[in-house]
């Protein structure tokens, strides 16, 4: 698979705060040394927070680890030495796949890199937009630039070519002229004989004159890396010591394709090295390929980074998350009204890394409660059917927070205009005070702001329609009841704020002023006049939501229909 896009995270002059090592629990900012809180980890991702701290950006970095050990960037126990300096990690989403990338919260430095040969138009921009929405804007990207660019893979082809040429010149790689037809025949023959398909390394053994002849004839070719035995073991941050003798089970892999684009194997090594990535954190499916990548590092004469392979995030039935599941695209969550902190919460809740699980934790709480010794190697099952409940809890928290509530108001303003447009007859329903009142009243009852623009709540934004027959079917005293409601509202227009409890009492008193209409039917008439519906929130809450002026307007329409 071709590495197509990535984001980097870095923290100047800091160690990874994983174990109780004095050096690893601090980072320096100029002359001062500041403590770093315990990090948070999301499955498949690195988690971090941008709040507080030096320059308004205290930063946290989380690593998935199953064994307690020191993670100073000077000595990492993976057998690789790193100079004390930047801790840089990268997030590698593909612009053709925008599925789970919200599950990356990180407090350091970000680069986004895309492969335009497979790029869906606007996909790279969408990734950055989603990161902005999630509260983790990239520090380096195609849009924002940065010190280690370019960040479009198509603009880095010369770098991959140089690395591949270096491997060829040192005898660590070779040019392969095998046609696609030959490779397909090899595959068919292997499958027919019950073997795993692999390249037979034929072009390894081309004589110099044969090689020269094919180059003169401009025969299309790829560059393959020579797999050698003698792979060194490495200590993975999650899975511990690992070693895979890939040369015994695989043919020499392609590292540079005929079109000049690299495969993942070369691209990830070159990009990690040139962008000074110190720790590679990726899904556990890449664990078996790490020995191959370490061979590439050795062949290029580069020091490898630290590797940590994280448990995968799977569907509830154990199947892999796939971009073919359109409902798990980040944009789908955003459109449905899902909150980024709710997605973070449900992701961490279904995984490991905590002493106990509870719903409703914010980033700061996840950071404080994270326990790296609790990380397991088992995949996590994501039950998205539970997302509405998570979202409801985090929505309540946002409504109670003045700053976050303003964000909700703006979001709802956009949604109202998108859904109802010209049907909105009174622009006052778009006023922040009105929307804020609705949010407070419906807090704990709705799972997302998108609920409030459903037909169930249309009466909040659009004046309802109902027939005279609907009214008379409920009572012959419809006009009398409408007049009583208008009088009640006139008595409450003196600036007194309506409350649900107060109106509940007033409505019981009002119902007693009718001759032959039961309280239940009075409520049905008022509900129909206010919303055009037969069910919904209590009548008293509906009235508090709409306010005296709008209630009066709607009941005047009842009088006019007779």
């Amino acid at each position: 698979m071709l590495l197509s896009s990535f984001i980097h995270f870095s923290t100047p002059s800091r160690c990874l705060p994983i174990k109780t090592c004095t050096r690893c629990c601090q980072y320096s900012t100029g002359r001062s040394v500041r403590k770093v809180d315990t990090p948070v980890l999301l499955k498949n991702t690195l988690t971090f927070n941008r709040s507080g701290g030096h320059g308004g950006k205290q930063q946290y970095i989380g690593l998935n680890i199953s064994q307690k050990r020191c993670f100073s960037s000077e000595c990492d126990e993976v057998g690789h030495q790193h100079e004390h300096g930047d801790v840089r990690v990268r997030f590698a989403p593909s612009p053709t796949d925008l599925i789970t990338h919200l599950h990356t919260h990180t407090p350091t430095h970000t680069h986004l890199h895309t492969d335009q040969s497979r790029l869906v138009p606007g996909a790279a921009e969408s990734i950055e937009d989603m990161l902005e929405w999630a509260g983790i804007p990239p520090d380096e990207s195609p849009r924002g630039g940065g010190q280690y660019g370019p960040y479009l893979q198509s603009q880095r082809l010369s770098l991959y070519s140089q690395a591949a040429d270096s491997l060829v010149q040192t005898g660590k790689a070779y040019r392969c002229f095998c046609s696609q037809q030959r490779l397909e025949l090899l595959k068919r023959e292997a499958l027919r004989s019950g073997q795993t398909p692999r390249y037979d390394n034929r072009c390894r053994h081309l004589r110099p004159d044969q090689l020269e002849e094919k180059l003169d004839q401009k025969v299309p070719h790829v560059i393959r890396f020579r797999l050698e035995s003698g792979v060194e073991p490495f200590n993975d941050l999650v899975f511990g010591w690992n070693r895979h003798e890939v040369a015994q089970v695989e043919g020499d892999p392609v590292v540079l394709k005929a079109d000049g684009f690299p495969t993942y194997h070369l691209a990830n090594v070159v990009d990690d090295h040139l962008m000074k990535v110190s720790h590679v954190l990726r899904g556990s499916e890449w664990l078996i390929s790490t020995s191959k990548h370490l061979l590439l590092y050795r062949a290029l004469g580069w020091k490898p980074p630290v590797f940590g392979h994280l448990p995968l995030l799977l569907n509830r039935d154990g199947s892999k998350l796939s971009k073919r599941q359109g409902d798990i695209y980040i944009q789908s969550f955003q459109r449905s009204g899902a909150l980024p902190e709710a997605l973070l919460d449900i992701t961490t809740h279904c995984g490991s890394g905590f002493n106990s699980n509870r719903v409703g934790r914010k980033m700061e709480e996840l950071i404080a409660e994270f326990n790296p010794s609790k990380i397991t190697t088992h995949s996590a099952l994501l039950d998205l059917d539970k997302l509405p409940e998570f979202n409801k809890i985090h929505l309540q928290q946002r409504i109670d927070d003045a700053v976050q509530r303003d964000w909700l108001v703006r979001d709802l303003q956009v949604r109202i205009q998108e859904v109802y447009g010209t049907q909105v007859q009174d622009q006052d329903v778009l006023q922040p005070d009105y929307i804020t009142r609705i949010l407070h009243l419906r807090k704990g009852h709705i799972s997302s702001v998108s609920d409030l623009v459903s037909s169930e709540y249309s009466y909040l934004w659009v004046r309802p329609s109902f027939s005279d027959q609907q009214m008379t079917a409920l009572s012959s005293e419809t006009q009398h009841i409408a007049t009583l409601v208008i009088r009640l509202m006139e008595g409450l227009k003196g600036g007194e704020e309506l409350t649900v409890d107060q109106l509940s009492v007033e409505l019981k008193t009002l119902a007693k002023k009718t001759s032959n209409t039961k309280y239940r039917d009075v409520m049905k008439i008022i509900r129909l006049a206010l919303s055009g519906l037969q069910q919904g929130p209590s009548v008293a809450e509906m009235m508090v939501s709409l306010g005296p002026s709008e209630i009066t307007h709607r009941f005047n329409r009842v009088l006019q229909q007779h």
Side-chain angles (χ1 to χ4, degrees):
M1 176 181 175
L2 185 62
L3 176 66
S4 52
S5 66
F6 55 78
I7 293 173
H8 284 112
F9 309 95
S10 69
T11 304
S13 303
R14 185 171 60 99
C15 300
L16 294 175
I18 300 299
K19 190 177 181 288
T20 56
C21 165
T22 303
R23 184 169 66 244
C24 291
C25 290
Q26 300 175 341
Y27 72 95
S28 61
T29 55
R31 297 180 180 177
S32 62
V33 175
R34 297 177 181 271
K35 280 285 184 179
V36 179
D37 288 339
T38 307
V40 172
L41 174 77
L42 288 182
K43 294 306 178 188
N44 296 10
T45 62
L46 182 70
T47 306
F48 58 83
N49 184 8
R50 294 177 177 272
S51 62
H54 181 64
K57 291 185 179 179
Q58 183 164 349
Q59 303 168 329
Y60 310 95
I61 185 169
L63 284 179
N64 194 343
I65 171 177
S66 58
Q67 302 173 6
K68 293 183 179 180
R69 57 177 79 98
C70 172
F71 287 94
S72 164
S73 57
E74 290 184 302
C75 178
D76 54 49
E77 279 199 18
V78 182
H80 313 134
Q81 298 298 319
H82 295 278
E83 295 180 1
H84 185 66
D86 288 0
V87 171
R88 292 172 65 84
V89 297
R90 67 175 175 137
F91 164 52
S94 163
T96 61
D97 181 358
L98 306 179
I99 305 171
T100 61
H101 306 317
L102 175 61
H103 305 146
T104 303
H105 270 34
T106 324
T108 31
H109 205 76
T110 40
H111 310 264
L112 178 65
H113 167 158
T114 62
D115 159 27
Q116 290 186 321
S117 70
R118 308 191 307 119
L119 184 60
V120 175
E125 292 78 7
S126 293
I127 292 174
E128 291 199 56
D129 289 343
M130 290 300 99
L131 290 169
E132 294 277 355
W133 172 73
I136 47 174
D139 298 300
E140 297 179 35
S141 67
R143 182 187 294 173
Q147 182 180 355
Y148 296 97
Y151 299 97
L152 290 174
Q153 191 172 84
S154 59
Q155 296 174 6
R156 298 174 63 85
L157 298 185
S158 62
L159 300 175
Y160 308 126
S161 178
Q162 289 170 21
D165 288 343
S166 174
L167 291 171
V168 171
Q169 291 168 12
T170 57
K172 304 296 185 182
Y174 58 90
R175 303 182 193 281
C176 174
F177 300 88
C178 291
S179 66
Q180 190 60 42
Q181 290 83 350
R182 181 177 187 276
L183 297 176
E184 186 61 33
L185 286 173
L186 286 175
K187 179 180 178 180
R188 291 179 183 176
E189 183 60 32
L191 292 174
R192 188 180 298 115
S193 59
Q195 299 177 349
T196 301
R198 57 186 289 187
Y199 179 57
D200 61 0
N201 300 345
R202 175 182 180 180
C203 288
R204 257 195 189 207
H205 311 293
L206 289 177
R207 299 189 309 271
D209 60 308
Q210 293 175 312
L211 175 62
E212 203 63 40
E213 179 183 358
K214 291 184 180 294
L215 289 175
D216 289 342
Q217 294 174 354
K218 300 188 184 304
V219 178
H221 66 276
V222 299
I223 293 180
R224 290 183 181 272
F225 176 60
R226 289 177 180 266
L227 293 179
E228 304 291 349
S229 58
V231 173
E232 294 180 4
F234 67 97
N235 196 1
D236 188 82
L237 299 181
V238 178
F239 288 83
W241 287 100
N242 272 265
R243 179 175 176 270
H244 299 94
E245 279 290 359
V246 287
Q248 297 179 6
V249 295
E250 296 183 31
D252 293 336
V254 174
V255 292
L256 196 70
K257 298 186 294 184
D259 62 3
F261 276 82
T263 60
Y264 172 77
H265 303 302
L266 181 65
N268 93 88
V269 169
V270 171
D271 291 331
D272 281 341
H273 175 73
L274 296 181
M275 293 188 172
K276 302 186 183 301
V277 169
S278 62
H279 292 73
V280 172
L281 305 174
R282 57 190 181 187
S284 59
E285 74 269 31
W286 290 106
L287 181 64
I288 197 171
S289 296
T290 305
S291 289
K292 186 187 307 179
H293 299 157
L294 288 172
L295 287 174
L296 272 168
Y297 276 103
R298 186 168 70 183
L300 289 165
W302 296 341
K303 291 180 181 179
V306 179
F307 287 91
H309 290 82
L310 310 181
L312 297 179
L313 189 64
L314 304 177
N315 288 311
R316 183 175 57 181
D317 61 3
S319 61
K320 294 185 71 173
L321 293 175
S322 168
K323 64 184 178 183
R324 293 175 179 83
Q325 298 169 255
D327 58 343
I328 62 168
Y329 277 67
I330 294 301
Q331 291 96 327
S332 297
F333 289 120
Q334 183 187 33
R335 284 193 296 268
S336 69
L339 299 172
E341 58 267 34
L343 287 172
L344 168 63
D345 194 9
I346 194 174
T347 304
T348 53
H349 189 270
C350 73
S352 57
F354 299 90
N355 292 322
S356 62
N357 263 350
R358 60 185 178 85
V359 179
R361 287 182 293 199
K362 297 181 180 179
M363 177 67 78
E364 294 78 9
E365 295 169 303
L366 289 168
I367 290 171
E369 296 176 24
F370 176 67
N371 185 347
S373 67
K374 296 296 182 179
I375 294 294
T376 70
T377 59
H378 304 299
S379 297
L381 302 182
L382 178 63
D383 186 358
L384 288 174
D385 289 342
K386 296 179 180 178
L387 181 58
E389 187 59 34
F390 279 80
N391 213 63
K392 178 186 290 186
I393 292 170
H394 285 280
L395 182 58
Q396 292 180 60
Q397 293 176 352
R398 281 207 176 195
I399 292 172
D400 289 335
D401 182 276
V403 175
Q404 296 295 327
R405 185 170 61 246
D406 288 344
W407 183 92
L408 292 174
V409 169
R410 291 191 298 271
D411 182 34
L412 197 48
Q413 286 172 328
V414 172
R415 291 176 185 272
I416 294 166
Q417 294 177 84
E418 286 179 346
V419 173
Y420 295 105
T422 56
Q423 297 179 60
V424 176
Q425 297 161 302
D426 185 354
Q427 295 300 309
D428 284 347
V429 299
L430 298 175
Q431 292 299 313
D433 288 348
Y434 178 76
I435 294 177
T436 297
R437 183 164 76 239
I438 301 302
L439 288 171
H440 278 298
L441 287 168
R442 286 285 84 196
K443 182 177 69 175
H445 298 282
I446 56 173
S447 297
S448 72
V449 290
S450 62
D451 293 347
L452 290 175
V453 292
S454 66
S455 58
E456 180 183 353
Y457 293 105
S458 62
Y459 69 91
L460 294 169
W461 327 111
V462 177
R463 287 165 180 159
S465 299
F466 50 85
S467 66
D468 183 40
Q469 289 76 16
Q470 287 177 286
M471 285 291 183
T472 55
L474 292 171
S475 172
S476 59
E477 296 183 278
T478 299
Q479 283 190 308
H480 177 54
I481 293 170
T483 301
L484 290 174
V485 172
I486 292 172
R487 288 176 181 172
L488 174 61
M489 291 301 102
E490 288 175 346
L492 296 173
K493 282 184 179 179
E496 183 181 354
E497 185 175 345
L498 301 182
T499 67
V500 173
D501 290 342
Q502 171 198 4
L503 276 176
S504 296
V505 173
E506 297 283 1
L507 288 172
K508 288 178 181 179
T509 302
L510 181 148
K512 294 177 181 178
K513 297 178 180 179
T514 62
S515 300
N516 54 16
T517 307
K518 296 179 180 179
Y519 171 79
R520 179 183 59 193
D521 292 328
V522 171
M523 293 303 102
K524 289 181 179 179
I525 291 171
I526 297 176
R527 181 185 297 278
L528 184 62
L530 294 177
S531 67
L533 303 174
Q534 296 180 351
Q535 58 186 10
S538 70
V539 171
E541 183 185 320
M542 282 185 170
M543 296 177 77
V544 172
S545 298
L546 294 170
S549 296
E550 182 61 24
I551 294 170
T552 299
H553 180 90
R554 296 188 183 192
F555 276 94
N556 276 326
R557 289 177 59 204
V558 174
L559 295 178
Q560 293 167 7
Q561 285 188 227
H562 286 268

